[in-house]
Amino acid sequence: MASPILDLAGVTLEVGHLPRGVRFYTQVLGLTLLRHDGSRGVAHFRVNDTQTLTLWKPVTRQPNDPRLAPLHVRGASHLHYAWQIQPHELDRCKALLDEHGLPWQEIDLGTPERPDPTVYFFDPFGHGLELRGVDLADGRQPAYPPTPGDGERGPHALPVLGLREVALAFVDYPAMKERLPRAYGFAFAKEQPDRDFAQFTLGPGPEPDGNGTPRRWLYAWDPQVGLADMFGGDHVYAQFYAHLDEVRRRVRAAGLPHVEAEGRLTVRDPEGHVFGFLAPPAG
């Protein structure tokens, strides 16, 4: 059966200082600020036509999003997530990170026959960011492919095209590996032989990762340090485009707490992560 999950729609990060977060994500990533509500502790950014990034500063006794209050949702802490770039922009990205005074680490995730150099760095709040090159001509396209114009963010901002992946921590790894396909419909692709690390393709079926694929991904592992000393995120709030009727059927069968509002289904996972499922955008 095909997966009802279509693509990655957005990620919400927890931050300790909202103005500093706004400066970082507008100046370093070049994102467009859509909303900045200091009283509620919310900053919302446009990544591209179909993806967003949101920052939440926890506010005492006040939910950042009142619609989701029954699910006790939080932004992600120390999340590892990745951005798509064009491969030829990698050296420019390293120079820009130097310009911003941000330490970075390069790791080759490819093979001797086909290198896949990737750059890792941290934002001011401990979230681990990755810059991963994608081949825009590759046939393995996501539902909403990245386009070169998405990387035109100004001379001092990283030329990111879009969000590529999110990595979540799960204490009960075996239960997670069974639950994510059954209760939501995520397509299990593979796991690494030397660690508890599962890959789920955000698309109609499982596919191999790497080698420049523009596909988007959900990674899941037990609490451990991954590449570049980065952790999977705790209490992550992530959003996905999906066929809502099929996800709703699975969520109800699994008996998971959820709310529906404004055309989206939002679900609390037993490990405390919250998943928002959005209908495909018109057009």
Side-chain angles (χ1 to χ4, degrees):
M1 179 183 295
S3 168
I5 311 300
L6 299 175
D7 209 339
L8 179 60
V11 178
T12 297
L13 308 176
E14 195 166 87
V15 302
H17 192 279
L18 196 60
R20 189 179 183 192
V22 170
R23 287 195 300 270
F24 180 88
Y25 281 97
T26 54
Q27 295 176 7
V28 178
L29 276 297
L31 305 186
T32 301
L33 181 63
L34 301 177
R35 177 190 175 203
H36 184 184
D37 185 341
S39 64
R40 193 166 291 282
V42 174
H44 190 61
F45 303 87
R46 177 190 181 276
V47 172
N48 52 40
D49 286 344
T50 57
Q51 294 182 318
T52 60
L53 181 82
T54 303
L55 305 181
W56 280 358
K57 179 183 178 182
V59 182
T60 300
R61 298 182 180 178
Q62 176 179 297
N64 298 96
D65 188 336
R67 300 169 303 171
L68 304 181
L71 301 179
H72 306 290
V73 61
R74 293 177 59 180
S77 67
H78 55 70
L79 180 70
H80 166 51
Y81 72 107
W83 296 88
Q84 297 171 320
I85 63 168
Q86 295 191 77
H88 71 269
E89 297 276 27
L90 191 63
D91 286 341
R92 179 181 167 217
C93 288
K94 291 186 287 188
L96 287 168
L97 290 171
D98 288 338
E99 179 183 313
H100 287 288
L102 294 169
W104 51 269
Q105 180 179 357
E106 182 175 338
I107 299 175
D108 191 347
L109 302 181
T111 64
E113 295 76 22
R114 187 167 183 178
D116 188 4
T118 303
V119 166
Y120 297 82
F121 63 103
F122 287 91
D123 78 357
F125 313 100
H127 300 293
L129 284 64
E130 174 184 342
L131 301 175
R132 189 78 176 268
V134 294
D135 180 1
L136 298 181
D138 192 297
R140 299 166 295 171
Q141 294 289 333
Y144 307 105
T147 61
D150 292 332
E152 297 173 358
R153 302 188 181 276
H156 302 288
L158 297 171
V160 295
L161 303 174
L163 297 166
R164 181 188 189 270
E165 72 196 46
V166 291
L168 282 59
F170 289 86
V171 174
D172 191 339
Y173 177 84
M176 172 280 300
K177 197 169 63 171
E178 183 277 334
R179 183 174 64 255
L180 262 61
R182 171 181 55 83
Y184 310 103
F186 290 105
F188 174 74
K190 68 175 185 178
E191 59 184 338
Q192 292 190 358
D194 57 344
R195 60 184 289 215
D196 287 340
F197 177 16
Q199 299 179 358
F200 296 87
T201 308
L202 300 179
E207 291 189 17
D209 191 1
N211 293 328
T213 172
R215 286 280 193 197
R216 275 69 181 250
W217 304 87
L218 172 64
Y219 294 160
W221 60 71
D222 61 6
Q224 59 181 290
V225 175
L227 290 173
D229 294 331
M230 293 183 178
F231 294 97
D234 289 334
H235 46 75
V236 174
Y237 176 37
Q239 301 89 52
F240 308 92
Y241 291 112
H243 296 300
L244 293 186
D245 288 344
E246 174 61 20
V247 177
R248 183 184 299 109
R249 181 189 67 79
R250 290 171 177 268
V251 166
R252 289 176 175 174
L256 297 178
H258 60 279
V259 298
E260 295 190 58
E262 298 184 5
R264 75 178 61 192
L265 169 70
T266 309
V267 188
R268 184 175 179 86
D269 186 76
E271 292 251 7
H273 303 302
V274 174
F275 302 140
F277 299 98
L278 288 67

